[in-house]
Amino acid sequence: MQIQVNTDHNIHGGEGLATYVTTDLESSLSRFSGWLTRVEVHLSEDGGSKPEDKKCVIEARPGGKQPVAVTHHATTVDDAYAGAAHKLGRVLDSRYSRAHDHKGSDSIRHMPPPEDPEQVGVIETSLDADGGDAEPRAI
């Protein structure tokens, strides 16, 4: 996963800011590294008279799918980045993790098909130790 950090001329931070953002995104998005090919971070200042004039846009590009972009406005660059990173984590989590994982295990959409489709739903009875019928159980 390649991470690119872009800033406009009003944002100061240089190499230290880029290193921090890169390291933080690598750790927070590591579970999505198999899906993401590139992440772009754009930090800018709107220059308006609003108190929340810092903006962070993070665009994640999954391989073979449409890019995902989130935006967050805040009063500081750190808050704008943190808000956008949190939003991106939630969006990617809902888009990828939940599709492949359901309460800690594979979802039914991704389970392998049964070996013998004719036996699905057939109730089997077995003999217990006395030779009598045991509880029926579905196969």
Side-chain angles (χ1 to χ4, degrees):
M1 170 175 59
Q2 178 186 4
I3 298 175
Q4 182 178 357
V5 180
N6 302 311
T7 61
D8 72 357
H9 62 280
N10 295 323
I11 302 296
H12 304 290
E15 195 62 37
L17 178 63
T19 302
Y20 168 74
V21 169
T22 302
T23 305
D24 186 58
L25 282 178
E26 284 175 345
S27 66
S28 65
L29 300 179
S30 64
R31 64 185 184 270
F32 306 112
S33 63
W35 291 302
L36 300 177
T37 57
R38 188 170 79 205
V39 178
E40 292 185 25
V41 180
H42 302 276
L43 296 163
S44 62
E45 184 176 346
D46 288 341
S49 59
K50 300 182 291 187
E52 296 182 343
D53 62 348
K54 305 293 189 278
K55 178 172 82 168
C56 180
V57 178
I58 304 178
E59 182 179 5
R61 297 177 180 264
K65 300 200 184 292
Q66 291 293 318
V68 177
V70 294
T71 303
H72 191 76
H73 295 271
T75 55
T76 65
V77 173
D78 292 338
D79 291 343
Y81 164 71
H86 180 72
K87 285 181 184 180
L88 181 64
R90 284 194 334 236
V91 168
L92 292 175
D93 194 38
S94 67
R95 184 169 285 189
Y96 295 108
S97 290
R98 293 183 193 164
H100 296 284
D101 187 45
H102 181 71
K103 295 183 181 177
S105 64
D106 288 336
S107 73
I108 195 166
R109 289 180 223 120
H110 300 286
M111 289 176 62
E115 292 178 22
D116 186 8
E118 297 295 323
Q119 294 297 317
V120 173
V122 174
I123 296 179
E124 173 186 274
T125 58
S126 62
L127 299 177
D128 61 10
D130 303 349
D133 286 341
E135 293 290 320
R137 64 182 182 94
I139 299 177

